[in-house]
Structures are given as C-alpha cells and as structure tokens.
Amino acid sequence: MILAAMVILPCAAQRPGLIKDEDGYTNIRKGPGTNYAIVDKVPDGMFINYGPGQGNWYKVYTTYTDGTPQDLIGYIHSSKVVVPKRQGPCKMVGYVVDEDGYTNIRKGPGTRYAIVGKVRDGGYILCSGDYSDGWFKVYTQTGAFRGYMSAKKIQITESPCF
C-alpha cells in the first residue's frame, strides 16, 4: 500500500521532511534496517513526519486531523529524507495533475518562456503560495528556485509549510 497524503501536526521531537527524488518511492520498514520487512511505501517528493530513531534510521509517524495521537508507521533511512531550507516565501507541497503525462517547468510565468524542466503526472513539487497570472513559482527539494508551473496543473496537498 502506498501512503496517502497526511496532515502533519509536528510535536517537539518530530518534524516534516520530504522523500528524496530517486527511484519513484521509498520503503518504510518495520525496524531500523534493510533486514526488516517493508510495511509501506512513500512516493518521491511526498512529505512525511519523522523523528529520532536508531543510528541512521528515522521513525516515521502519521497524524490524524481529529487530534488523535500520532502512530508509529515504521522506519526510514535518513539518506532518503530532505528538509528544505527556508529561502524566500513559505513553500507548500503540491502534486502534478496532467493527462498528458507531465507538466513543463518554465523560465517565466507563461508559455512563451523556455522550458527548463518537467514533472511527471502524479509527481510532487514544492511551490510558493503566491503566483503570478496563474503560475506558481516552483522549487527543488532543497528549496532553491527552479522556475514556474501552471497553477492549473498543481493540486496543493494538506502539508506543512517549509
């Protein structure tokens, strides 16, 4: 089963992070090591709520919107988690909805600007809450500015602000 979008309500020992873009998804394991069973998978770019674990393994938690205490889902290797730096405006997580299979990232806010990248349908991206004429500013996972993407192609998730 692949995790659905989670609402994050971090407590002091837990914080939000993003799954590093690599192979499409990252495994969550029952314990802190690859010898433990896989209990779930998280898509690249999705945010998670994590906290201290053992060695190089973080504990992964879920939260509930009704205030129910967080549940431990399992463990994820620390190399798979990215925490964007705050550079400029607050950034939110969105996912691409495009029947053509991908959406272009452009140098400026409009189709007349050059294409500087692409994000596949269902892929996750960081974007700012402000947009110009229907175009979001989009960012790399580390928080660096990447370009612009049509706001019509991005569905904002219920995520923490990075």
Side-chain angles (χ1 to χ4, degrees):
M1 152 172 92
I2 294 183
L3 287 173
M6 297 180 286
V7 176
I8 304 299
L9 302 170
C11 72
Q14 297 164 9
R15 60 191 270 189
L18 298 173
I19 297 300
K20 188 183 276 187
D21 283 330
E22 290 183 322
D23 301 321
Y25 66 89
T26 294
N27 295 325
I28 296 178
R29 299 196 174 261
K30 187 170 185 143
T34 56
N35 55 323
Y36 288 91
I38 296 169
V39 296
D40 215 332
K41 297 179 182 201
V42 186
D44 284 354
M46 187 173 156
F47 62 92
I48 61 166
N49 199 24
Y50 73 97
Q54 288 183 309
N56 291 327
W57 291 83
Y58 292 140
K59 290 181 179 178
V60 179
Y61 299 89
T62 189
T63 60
Y64 303 99
T65 56
D66 64 2
T68 303
Q70 297 173 332
D71 291 326
L72 175 66
I73 298 170
Y75 292 78
I76 193 167
H77 196 270
S78 61
S79 67
K80 303 292 186 174
V81 179
V82 176
V83 179
K85 294 177 184 159
R86 289 193 185 262
Q87 299 174 357
C90 178
K91 296 163 193 71
M92 302 170 292
V93 178
Y95 62 92
V96 174
V97 179
D98 194 323
E99 64 223 21
D100 295 332
Y102 66 90
T103 293
N104 294 323
I105 298 173
R106 296 194 174 263
K107 191 169 188 164
T111 56
R112 67 185 180 278
Y113 291 94
I115 296 169
V116 296
K118 298 176 186 239
V119 178
R120 73 188 184 298
D121 180 46
Y124 288 84
I125 187 110
L126 280 179
C127 55
S128 63
D130 58 333
Y131 63 89
S132 172
D133 295 325
W135 291 79
F136 279 114
K137 288 182 179 179
V138 294
Y139 302 85
T140 65
Q141 282 192 321
T142 59
F145 178 70
R146 190 166 175 199
Y148 293 82
M149 188 178 282
S150 172
K152 294 177 185 176
K153 304 292 184 172
I154 299 175
Q155 178 67 44
I156 301 297
T157 64
E158 292 184 56
S159 69
C161 192
F162 290 99

